[in-house]
Amino acid sequence: MSASKRKNLNAMEEDPSDSDSETSSEDDGPHPDAYTGNEEVQIDFEGRAPIDPDCHGISQLLQRVFLKAHVNTMQMADMIIAQNFVGSVICQCDDGMESDADDMCEDGTIFGITTVLNITAKKDSPCIEQFRSFVVQKAEKHAPDSVLKHFRDVLGNEARPIGYLINERFINIPAQISVPLLESLYKEINAAKQKGMPFNFVYFLMIIKFYRKEAKKGKPKEDTYTNAEEELIATNAVNSFEYSVADECDMGMSGDWLEGDASLTPYRKVVLFDAKTLPALILDIQKYINGE
């Protein structure tokens, strides 16, 4: 599993005390007493294999991707936990010491998940069937004909397996944490392949969250990616399409919920990229984070 990393957390995506709500989304506003802006909370994170008690937290992270779509995220979370030899969850280190975050986080809070599901081999599982249908339906509505055809062809070719790459975490957990998590995932995929497990992917498919400041006269549109590293992944996609989820969210949200922030429109981008490019992408992400 990925090594422990200390990260600065400027704001959390939601008040974890609201974690009992299955319908909460990434676009819910913060709890009025949870965060006032300009605070910095020091949390010691670690990556570890997902376990049964993580199911609800993983499901909530997935729910932020799909929002009101008919995808059984609890079943998908169970599937992720069942293959705990691949993938990591982000959680707070339990070192017995009190921290600034103790009053903000419930015990057992899952701050992120990085893993992959084989949506070709598991295509008959109800949640994966729902997921595949969801992707095709969105492509039918939002993608150009050539992109729709490519997605249909790829999803219909069982000889070229697709991995649904999941890379979700709370807002404002810095992008640096993605490098050890993705490196760990890549090593675990290779170890699983060596044991004859179905992780020999030809493509990875991702659903990336971003926000758009719509273009005004004389000015281009501006996109802000929830996970900064995913802008690089989107740039390297062999095909992609996007759609607004403004009608599915309770409110528009700017990055840190601070008063005076510009209102941004939430979007999703569905990207398809060659599985063999993952190691190079991880190196590019590391260089990007290091400012190289």
Side-chain angles (χ1 to χ4, degrees):
M1 275 305 118
S2 49
S4 298
K5 297 289 178 182
R6 181 172 291 277
K7 301 294 174 186
N8 291 327
L9 183 63
N10 297 319
M12 290 202 304
E13 190 170 3
E14 67 173 1
D15 174 14
S17 65
D18 291 336
S19 61
D20 289 335
S21 172
E22 270 300 318
T23 59
S24 65
S25 80
E26 66 171 27
D27 304 284
D28 294 336
H31 190 283
D33 298 325
Y35 177 65
T36 59
N38 299 319
E39 293 181 28
E40 187 173 273
V41 180
Q42 191 86 355
I43 300 181
D44 199 16
F45 288 125
E46 66 178 357
R48 60 162 173 77
I51 56 177
D52 288 344
D54 300 334
C55 185
H56 187 71
I58 294 171
S59 175
Q60 283 196 313
L61 287 165
L62 295 171
Q63 192 69 44
R64 296 174 189 182
V65 178
F66 301 114
L67 298 174
K68 297 179 181 180
H70 181 59
V71 177
N72 189 330
T73 58
M74 285 294 287
Q75 187 181 78
M76 192 173 283
D78 283 335
M79 189 176 291
I80 288 168
I81 292 167
Q83 59 167 43
N84 62 4
F85 48 87
V86 169
S88 305
V89 293
I90 306 171
C91 57
Q92 185 177 356
C93 290
D94 183 13
D95 55 9
M97 301 291 290
E98 291 187 6
S99 73
D100 295 336
D102 288 344
D103 293 334
M104 297 179 68
C105 308
E106 289 185 347
D107 289 342
T109 296
I110 299 303
F111 291 90
I113 173 74
T114 299
T115 192
V116 65
L117 290 172
N118 189 327
I119 63 170
T120 303
K122 298 180 180 292
K123 65 183 179 64
D124 295 327
S125 298
C127 66
I128 300 301
E129 186 177 4
Q130 292 166 356
F131 172 79
R132 290 165 61 97
S133 296
F134 166 79
V135 170
V136 172
Q137 288 167 8
K138 289 297 185 184
E140 288 173 343
K141 188 173 181 179
H142 300 282
D145 289 344
S146 60
V147 176
L148 170 61
K149 183 180 185 302
H150 187 208
F151 270 85
R152 279 179 168 165
D153 290 346
V154 168
L155 287 166
N157 188 346
E158 295 187 19
R160 298 172 68 80
I162 306 172
Y164 170 35
L165 182 57
I166 300 167
N167 183 51
E168 294 301 320
R169 61 180 182 270
F170 280 17
I171 268 184
N172 285 355
I173 296 181
Q176 286 91 332
I177 203 169
S178 68
V179 174
L181 291 171
L182 289 170
E183 287 176 338
S184 176
L185 180 64
Y186 179 65
K187 291 175 183 177
E188 290 162 351
I189 288 172
N190 283 336
K193 285 193 296 186
Q194 290 172 4
K195 295 177 181 178
M197 297 178 179
F199 285 87
N200 191 23
F201 301 114
V202 174
Y203 293 107
F204 287 120
L205 185 152
M206 291 185 72
I207 301 180
I208 293 173
K209 305 194 300 291
F210 72 99
Y211 295 87
R212 174 164 293 162
K213 185 177 181 180
E214 300 296 346
K216 294 183 179 179
K217 187 175 180 179
K219 294 184 178 180
K221 65 186 179 183
E222 298 177 20
D223 292 342
T224 301
Y225 286 76
T226 305
N227 295 334
E229 74 277 5
E230 292 179 350
E231 183 172 5
L232 291 175
I233 294 173
T235 301
N236 284 273
V238 297
N239 236 325
S240 67
F241 65 91
E242 63 188 42
Y243 56 95
S244 169
V245 293
D247 292 340
E248 300 180 50
C249 300
D250 293 334
M251 58 180 290
M253 188 191 77
S254 59
D256 290 314
W257 294 322
L258 300 183
E259 186 177 355
D261 280 343
S263 178
L264 304 178
T265 303
Y267 274 79
R268 299 290 181 269
K269 187 187 293 286
V270 183
V271 305
L272 195 69
F273 66 96
D274 287 330
K276 64 178 179 289
T277 66
L278 182 57
L281 277 172
I282 295 172
L283 288 175
D284 288 343
I285 291 168
Q286 190 164 30
K287 290 177 182 178
Y288 167 76
I289 289 169
N290 294 335
E292 298 178 16

